[in-house]
Amino acid sequence: METLKLLALHTEELQVISSSNVHEGRLVQLVALLLVAREKLLAPAIDNSVDGSFIGQCILKELALLLDQEVKLMGTAHNEELNRCRQMKDAIGSMGLMLNVFDKAGGPIDRFRYFIALGVCISSTLFWYHYFFLFILNLSKLSLDRKS
């Protein structure tokens, strides 16, 4: 993890790599990058015309493209392509949820990783209950935000 962190923080291609992970639907790789370079990936985008982070914009653009493709495929007999498109749309949607979790709970996750690196013993059960609670809280807030 430390090697990945060093590489992620010292490369100029981090946005290209993360964008590629979004485009290919590679959730695990994106989560690994978020674990080690959250601040860099969630920094506000340089383009002032749109709010949000670069990676958030990538996710939204990819979802828009997939929704467009899904609508076009609905009227055809290409069921296999339609199913692949829907699976990819679900994967990208999961990335959006994970991005929200890292945005809201990234600080505590970073502190936990720091304490683990120092060798401080923390009850893993207590840790997972705490983060499960945070995750549920964030999901419920997300669903409330969508209803508003």
Side-chain angles (χ1 to χ4, degrees), residues 34-129:
L34 282 166
L35 276 170
V36 298
R38 179 181 56 87
E39 295 88 5
K40 200 169 180 182
L41 287 173
L42 295 179
I46 296 172
D47 182 6
N48 291 332
S49 65
V50 202
D51 289 335
S53 64
F54 171 80
I55 195 71
Q57 289 177 11
C58 287
I59 289 171
L60 289 176
K61 286 177 187 175
E62 196 62 36
L63 273 175
L65 289 171
L66 287 168
L67 284 170
D68 183 53
Q69 183 180 3
E70 180 182 25
V71 169
K72 288 177 183 175
L73 289 171
M74 287 174 118
T76 67
H78 299 106
N79 290 334
E80 191 173 310
E81 285 181 56
L82 181 60
N83 287 336
R84 274 194 304 246
C85 180
R86 287 179 174 163
Q87 288 172 348
M88 184 64 102
K89 188 179 73 171
D90 290 343
I92 304 295
S94 296
M95 287 180 182
L97 287 173
M98 286 307 299
L99 192 65
N100 189 37
V101 168
F102 274 91
D103 187 36
K104 305 290 186 220
I109 292 171
D110 288 345
R111 284 191 294 281
F112 174 76
R113 290 183 59 240
Y114 174 74
F115 286 128
I116 293 300
L118 290 177
V120 174
C121 289
I122 298 175
S123 167
S124 62
T125 305
L126 181 61
F127 166 76
W128 288 114
Y129 280 126

Side-chain angles (χ1 to χ4, degrees), residues 7 12 43 47 50 130-131 133:
L7 289 171
E12 297 297 322
D47 182 6
V50 202
H130 173 74
Y131 282 100
F133 173 75

